[in-house]
Amino acid sequence: MKVRECFDDRRPVFSFEFFIPKTLEGMVRFESTIRNLKRLSPSFVTLTYGAGGSARDRTIETAGMIQNELGLTTIAHLTCIAHTRSEIEAVVGRIRSLGIENIMALRGDPPKDGTLPPEDRRDYRYATDLVRHIRKMDGFCIGVAGYPEKHPEAASMEDDLRHLKEKVGAGADFITTQLFFDNADYFRFVEKVRAMGITLPILPGLMPVTNYGQLQKFAAMCGTRIPAEIIRDLGARQTDAEYVIQYGIDWTYRQSRDLLDKGAPGIHFYTLNKSRSTEVILSRLLGR
């Protein structure tokens, strides 16, 4: 199923994001997490992309397993900054051969080993270039990222919104946001996007906090603001693991309920490959 069809229903869209573990033990936990969350009948799941060699192959094969063996509609993330045009065509061809009809088109981060060619020698400078290429290949539903608090590398919010409009114009079907903790940021973002004439669904992305140190790391990396209330409440009790997890569950549940009540099309959960928090939150939302 193409994910854009999920948004045609009046029911909220609920989706989960996973990443490929690096160890065999982690892979066992990963599969257990997916099976636990499958019971909640998500609209779809997404799998982040490992750009290099074996990581890329494992990502694609695992996306195929999730869709074809576990029966969950899957979006394969695809980054382009370090790829050539022929490499992207090969990857998309493999994704297609596995029956996956949905791709999250992202620029991606530069390789840490410094092998990224200069901009004038890259086949893809921006995610817009990837969206345009996939759209020409036909047959795919394409998602793109949106940043309620601005992409960390963007010169301004206006500049970031201009890039989003270019991605939409290149052929995107829906927008999923980066994580945020203050719903006002999401609603301001939606208002600005709508004012630009963009009518695509904008799915809010939320991450239940499970570790205070990890929260700070992710927030810094994504350019996400941590509300003072969370810093106050978790800062003093950050070593109390159960308290932090329960706090994250309660905060994200309240966020989710408010977003849905005010018209958001659903919730995309950044699960960090853990099932408990997301399972509790979504069960509450579904009244189970």
Side-chain angles (χ1 to χ4, degrees):
M1 183 181 71
K2 290 183 172 61
V3 162
R4 61 172 170 255
E5 298 168 10
C6 298
F7 296 101
D8 294 335
D9 201 323
R10 292 185 178 183
R11 292 175 298 178
V13 169
F14 294 113
S15 56
F16 309 137
E17 182 163 303
F18 304 106
F19 63 87
I20 292 289
K22 295 181 180 179
T23 66
L24 181 59
E25 181 182 0
M27 195 68 185
V28 172
R29 291 196 300 268
F30 166 76
E31 291 191 23
S32 175
T33 294
I34 294 177
R35 293 181 189 280
N36 285 339
L37 292 176
K38 180 184 176 180
R39 297 197 296 263
L40 295 170
S41 302
S43 306
F44 60 89
V45 301
T46 75
L47 190 66
T48 60
Y49 183 67
S54 61
R56 175 183 65 199
D57 296 338
R58 287 176 60 228
T59 300
I60 296 169
E61 295 305 317
T62 303
M65 179 274 290
I66 294 172
Q67 174 147 313
N68 297 314
E69 294 182 27
L70 299 183
L72 292 169
T73 296
T74 303
I75 298 180
H77 282 217
L78 182 57
T79 64
C80 63
I81 191 170
H83 279 315
T84 64
R85 187 176 184 87
S86 61
E87 287 172 338
I88 287 294
E89 289 179 350
V91 171
V92 173
R94 181 60 182 143
I95 290 171
R96 189 197 300 273
S97 74
L98 292 169
I100 295 173
E101 301 178 289
N102 306 284
I103 293 177
M104 180 65 67
L106 306 164
R107 188 203 67 171
D109 297 322
K112 294 180 180 179
D113 60 8
T115 57
L116 186 67
E119 280 196 12
D120 59 354
R121 290 171 49 198
R122 297 177 206 162
D123 286 347
Y124 305 93
R125 293 179 61 192
Y126 304 109
T128 300
D129 303 321
L130 179 59
V131 173
R132 187 176 294 112
H133 189 181
I134 297 172
R135 180 54 66 214
K136 288 180 179 177
M137 297 177 76
D138 198 25
F140 290 97
C141 173
I142 304 172
V144 295
Y147 297 83
E149 299 174 76
K150 184 181 79 63
H151 190 285
E153 297 178 23
S156 65
M157 190 67 190
E158 290 68 28
D159 186 58
D160 198 31
L161 288 168
R162 178 175 60 81
H163 285 301
L164 178 60
K165 189 171 184 177
E166 289 172 353
K167 289 189 287 188
V168 171
D173 292 292
F174 67 96
I175 300 162
T176 300
T177 78
Q178 181 57 274
L179 63 92
F180 59 92
F181 295 98
D182 185 341
N183 288 356
D185 293 322
Y186 170 80
F187 289 115
R188 276 194 297 268
F189 175 71
V190 171
E191 185 177 0
K192 290 177 180 178
V193 172
R194 297 295 183 236
M196 299 174 73
I198 297 172
T199 60
L200 297 185
I202 303 175
L203 186 63
L206 303 182
M207 185 187 79
V209 177
T210 57
N211 179 285
Y212 187 64
Q214 188 179 56
L215 163 66
Q216 293 175 309
K217 177 183 176 181
F218 273 101
M221 180 175 64
C222 302
T224 299
R225 178 178 57 86
I226 305 174
E229 182 181 350
I230 293 180
I231 295 174
R232 182 197 68 209
D233 294 344
L234 293 185
R237 298 187 61 177
Q238 58 186 282
T239 59
D240 186 339
E242 185 58 32
Y243 174 83
V244 173
I245 290 171
Q246 190 58 54
Y247 187 95
I249 288 171
D250 292 341
W251 183 280
T252 306
Y253 170 74
R254 292 196 302 271
Q255 260 196 287
S256 300
R257 185 73 273 161
D258 181 64
L259 287 163
L260 295 172
D261 288 346
K262 293 179 180 177
I267 306 293
H268 182 65
F269 292 97
Y270 293 103
T271 69
L272 302 181
N273 287 7
K274 298 175 182 177
S275 61
R276 176 187 167 190
S277 295
T278 302
E279 189 171 7
V280 171
I281 295 163
L282 186 48
S283 293
R284 286 185 188 176
L285 292 171
L286 295 174
R288 296 182 182 177

